[in-house]
Amino acid sequence: MNILNAASETETDTPICSAKGCRADAVWVLAWNNPKLHTPERRKTWLACEEHREHLSKFLGMRGFLKDVVTLEEWSATDR
């Protein structure tokens, strides 16, 4: 899956943060899944700017959903 095509994008096709109301460029990919809904290998993604990475990670982590946090550059370089 190409994260650049899946994410909300600005006019310049730059992925933006998934935090509500944030329009900052995404720097991080938070890979997660809800074990009640998804198979173990399935990964959903949220994008995060520097400011919201910790907040979004905690939100997913408290629910046991967070599986991985990597840079957008790293995520885009892998074949997912």
Side-chain angles (χ1 to χ4, degrees):
M1 175 182 181
N2 184 342
I3 192 78
L4 299 178
N5 291 332
S8 299
E9 299 173 358
T10 64
E11 293 174 5
T12 60
D13 292 336
T14 303
I16 61 167
C17 181
S18 298
K20 185 177 182 177
C22 186
R23 304 303 295 166
D25 291 351
V27 180
W28 298 95
V29 174
L30 286 65
W32 64 277
N33 83 2
N34 179 341
K36 292 182 181 180
L37 301 175
H38 307 121
T39 59
E41 66 279 352
R42 170 101 189 257
R43 293 293 181 266
K44 309 266 298 171
T45 56
W46 282 357
L47 301 178
C49 64
E50 286 292 344
E51 181 181 348
H52 291 111
R53 181 189 61 84
E54 185 175 345
H55 172 74
L56 294 173
S57 293
K58 284 182 180 179
F59 180 89
L60 292 168
M62 286 176 30
R63 290 155 179 80
F65 294 174
L66 187 63
K67 301 301 178 194
D68 201 8
V69 178
V70 297
T71 65
L72 180 60
E73 183 178 313
E74 231 181 311
W75 184 271
S76 296
T78 61
D79 184 30
R80 298 189 193 253

